[in-house]
């Protein structure tokens, strides 16, 4: 993940390989996940379709995938929060915690974490290598005029929004924190996942007005957490 911070406000943004891999499997297998479900739109770069071997059932797979997606999001969006007794400066301890936490939801190549949903486990085992290759080949979209290493949200915009939130809500600037995962999915889309946590599309992050509102909502929802 990429970190942008000062001694005051704190903001984390990233482009999760794990979440993109799961979306690849959903889209490549054309799983009938309900349009009303709290999931992102299709990927921008549609993967080539893959066969779903008999006797795997797409309806069952869709339901199992939806449950898996929720667990993946919860895992990804909680990684930047220090655990009880863990210093935010203890990088080694934090990385070990993240690795152990990920193994409970995403543990290639066997994916023993999915043994309770054997149909999904079989599908993920079959396609996870292709999904990871796809995520490596697809480069994140940068805002127009940005430098090669620029993040989806310009630091100047994040700083401006964070300071306005602190002033508007009369809170210490250090109380203003947030995290966003940017996904390469279609359209201008966003979804809160927890207080101070948000998923969004690349188009949402690149749209100045939408990005400003998204950052404000993220920071405000995280106040007091």
């Amino acid at each position: 993940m990429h970190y942008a911070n000062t001694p005051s406000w704190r903001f984390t943004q990233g482009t999760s390989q794990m979440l993109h891999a799961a979306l690849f499997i959903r889209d490549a297998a054309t799983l009938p996940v309900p349009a009303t479900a709290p999931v992102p739109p299709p990927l921008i770069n549609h993967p080539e379709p893959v066969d779903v071997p008999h006797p795997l059932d797409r309806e069952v797979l869709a339901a199992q995938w939806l449950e898996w997606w929720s667990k993946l999001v919860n895992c990804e969006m909680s990684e930047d929060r220090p655990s009880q007794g863990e210093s935010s400066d203890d990088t080694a301890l934090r990385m070990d915690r993240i690795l152990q936490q990920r193994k409970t939801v995403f543990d290639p190549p066997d994916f023993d974490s999915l043994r309770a949903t054997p149909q999904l486990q079989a599908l993920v085992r079959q396609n996870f290598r292709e999904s990871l290759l796809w995520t490596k080949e697809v480069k994140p979209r940068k805002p127009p005029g940005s430098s090669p290493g620029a993040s989806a949200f310009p630091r100047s915009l994040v700083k401006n929004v964070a300071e306005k939130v602190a002033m508007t809500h009369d809170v210490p600037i250090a109380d203003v924190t947030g995290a966003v995962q940017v996904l390469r999915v279609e359209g201008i889309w966003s979804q809160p996942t927890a207080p101070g946590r948000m998923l969004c599309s690349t188009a949402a992050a690149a749209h100045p007005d939408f990005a400003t509102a998204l950052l404000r909502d993220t920071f405000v929802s995280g106040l007091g957490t």
Side-chain angles (χ1 to χ4, degrees):
M1 303 179 81
H2 172 80
Y3 294 92
N5 58 59
T6 70
S8 50
W9 55 269
R10 181 171 183 272
F11 177 69
T12 307
Q13 58 181 309
T15 53
S16 169
Q17 184 183 61
M18 182 171 67
L19 296 185
H20 279 103
L23 293 172
F24 173 97
I25 290 170
R26 178 199 66 178
D27 291 359
T30 60
L31 300 183
V33 177
T36 55
V39 297
L43 292 165
I44 294 173
N45 299 83
H46 294 186
E48 292 294 323
V50 299
D51 292 330
V52 177
H54 180 79
L56 300 187
D57 184 295
R58 289 182 188 275
E59 296 290 342
V60 172
L61 284 169
Q64 294 180 349
W65 183 92
L66 190 57
E67 181 180 354
W68 184 46
W69 174 256
S70 178
K71 293 178 181 178
L72 293 176
V73 171
N74 288 339
C75 175
E76 187 70 72
M77 301 305 289
S78 66
E79 287 185 353
D80 66 310
R81 292 179 180 272
S83 296
Q84 186 174 4
E86 176 184 320
S87 169
S88 59
D89 296 327
D90 195 337
T91 303
L93 183 61
R94 177 177 174 275
M95 291 306 299
D96 182 67
R97 171 178 61 82
I98 288 174
L99 289 174
Q100 294 304 317
Q101 186 173 333
R102 286 202 172 202
K103 287 180 181 179
T104 66
V105 293
F106 194 88
D107 52 342
D110 295 328
F111 286 92
D112 290 334
S113 61
L114 294 174
R115 59 184 176 275
T117 52
Q119 292 209 37
L120 180 63
Q121 184 184 43
L123 182 68
V124 174
R125 279 178 174 175
Q126 175 184 293
N127 295 289
F128 87 91
R129 288 186 175 86
E130 289 74 13
S131 74
L132 294 181
L133 287 173
W134 183 92
T135 62
K136 290 179 180 179
E137 292 171 358
V138 177
K139 302 296 183 182
R141 180 179 299 173
K142 303 300 184 184
S146 62
S147 63
S151 300
F153 295 92
R155 185 180 184 282
S156 58
L157 175 63
V158 177
K159 179 177 183 292
N160 183 51
V161 174
E163 290 175 347
K164 285 185 177 179
V165 167
M167 182 179 298
T168 300
H169 292 268
D170 193 24
V171 297
I173 189 66
D175 288 355
V176 180
T177 64
V180 177
Q181 283 289 332
V182 183
L183 303 175
R184 288 190 56 79
V185 296
E186 295 177 349
I188 296 178
W189 170 89
S190 67
Q191 177 192 326
T193 62
R197 301 292 182 270
M198 187 84 70
L199 299 176
C200 79
S201 63
T202 52
H207 190 288
D209 292 339
F210 194 95
T212 298
L214 184 153
L215 289 170
R216 182 179 62 246
D217 292 345
T218 302
F219 286 139
V220 170
S221 71
L223 295 177
T225 60

